[in-house]
Amino acid sequence: MSNQSTTSGGSTHCLSRHKFTFWLYRLAGKIYARAYLDFRSQPVKLGLQGPHLILCNSQTLQDALLVRLAFDYPVYCVQTHAQRRNPIALAADALTAPIWQKPGKSTWTAAAVQNIKQVIDEGGSVCLFPCSDPAYGYVPQPISKQTVPLIRALNVPVILYALHGGAGALPRWGDGRRKGPFIGRLERTLMPEEYADMSDAELFTLINRTLSVNDKALDLTYHSNHRAERLERVLY
């Protein structure tokens, strides 16, 4: 069952200690995302009550910042410290209580999993980036093998949300935004009763296929006033 954004009016719980900071984040973040990044996202209003898990592909170092803005309720993101190089992202982290995870993400640490479960138990919703950190070649990376067991353990609705165009708009070897399409959209919603009937291999394949966005194959055009940017990163 494929669900695009439908019923409005539903929301998920914001941990009370973060209500004000999330409000402040959304106020400033929307201005930044639209004015500087020109990021566009389909409004996601699912009408889901209670906690759920969001899975998103990795494209840029600002993915967590953008995914939080796509939903009309607080989202607690699992992030690596590699995503903290941008000062805007640092400010966002100070407001939104991310769940920290060591770089590499082939597996999540026990501490990260414990924090994920705690947020879910308290009624909050969590966003995971189950693919490896974006590489310079922007070849889509497979999701972590740990994803399916974690979904089974949490037993909450799963939202598959994908970013498109981030590799061209915010390349890792660049210093700024390049003009061109950069969007995010809800791809699919999986309810617990739906994925309960799937084998682990079927669920893994479905998630991996949905979140494998290859920007090179989209044949999109991006423009920048910089003729050469951070070439040492490409050579490295």
Side-chain angles (χ1 to χ4, degrees):
M1 176 180 66
S2 179
N3 288 349
Q4 294 299 323
S5 50
T6 54
T7 310
S8 62
S11 63
T12 192
H13 179 61
C14 174
L15 307 190
S16 58
R17 58 191 177 275
H18 302 141
K19 282 185 178 180
F20 175 74
T21 56
F22 264 105
W23 174 84
L24 185 61
Y25 166 79
R26 292 181 62 80
L27 182 65
K30 285 186 176 181
I31 297 173
Y32 171 75
R34 180 59 61 89
Y36 176 67
L37 300 179
D38 195 24
F39 174 73
R40 312 281 173 163
S41 176
Q42 294 179 352
V44 180
K45 296 182 179 180
L46 295 166
L48 292 176
Q49 297 294 332
H52 47 275
L53 179 67
I54 301 164
L55 300 180
C56 181
N57 59 322
S58 295
Q59 286 206 323
T60 77
L61 295 178
Q62 299 194 44
D63 294 341
L65 184 152
L66 298 172
V67 171
R68 292 190 194 101
L69 296 174
F71 293 82
D72 62 347
Y73 47 78
V75 172
Y76 296 84
C77 292
V78 179
Q79 300 173 224
T80 70
H81 289 278
Q83 295 168 309
R84 302 189 68 184
R85 298 190 317 195
N86 184 285
I88 300 296
L90 282 171
D93 295 342
L95 296 174
T96 55
I99 300 169
W100 291 114
Q101 162 66 22
K102 293 181 180 179
K105 289 189 294 187
S106 57
T107 60
W108 293 295
T109 62
V113 172
Q114 182 179 1
N115 287 332
I116 291 169
K117 291 181 177 179
Q118 179 180 346
V119 171
I120 293 292
D121 289 343
E122 291 187 47
S125 289
V126 174
C127 177
L128 288 174
F129 300 90
C131 309
S132 298
D133 284 329
Y136 288 100
Y138 294 106
V139 177
Q141 303 295 312
I143 67 171
S144 168
K145 295 289 186 180
Q146 196 181 7
T147 306
V148 171
L150 182 60
I151 290 174
R152 303 283 193 201
L154 296 177
N155 195 37
V156 294
V158 176
I159 297 172
L160 304 182
Y161 182 87
L163 299 171
H164 301 258
L170 292 170
R172 291 195 68 191
W173 45 263
D175 281 333
R177 172 71 161 89
R178 288 150 52 98
K179 294 181 180 179
F182 186 18
I183 65 171
R185 63 171 180 246
L186 186 152
E187 302 289 349
R188 183 161 181 157
T189 301
L190 294 168
M191 303 304 290
E193 57 270 22
E194 182 179 0
Y195 60 73
D197 294 332
M198 298 181 181
S199 67
D200 287 356
E202 290 172 332
L203 184 55
F204 179 89
T205 300
L206 171 62
I207 297 171
N208 197 52
R209 183 175 64 244
T210 304
L211 297 183
S212 293
V213 177
N214 188 345
D215 278 359
K216 285 186 176 181
L218 298 178
D219 195 25
L220 301 174
T221 302
Y222 295 86
H223 303 278
S224 173
N225 293 327
H226 302 281
R227 300 189 64 180
E229 303 174 71
R230 298 289 185 176
L231 294 181
E232 71 278 8
R233 296 181 184 175
V234 179
L235 295 174
Y236 176 77

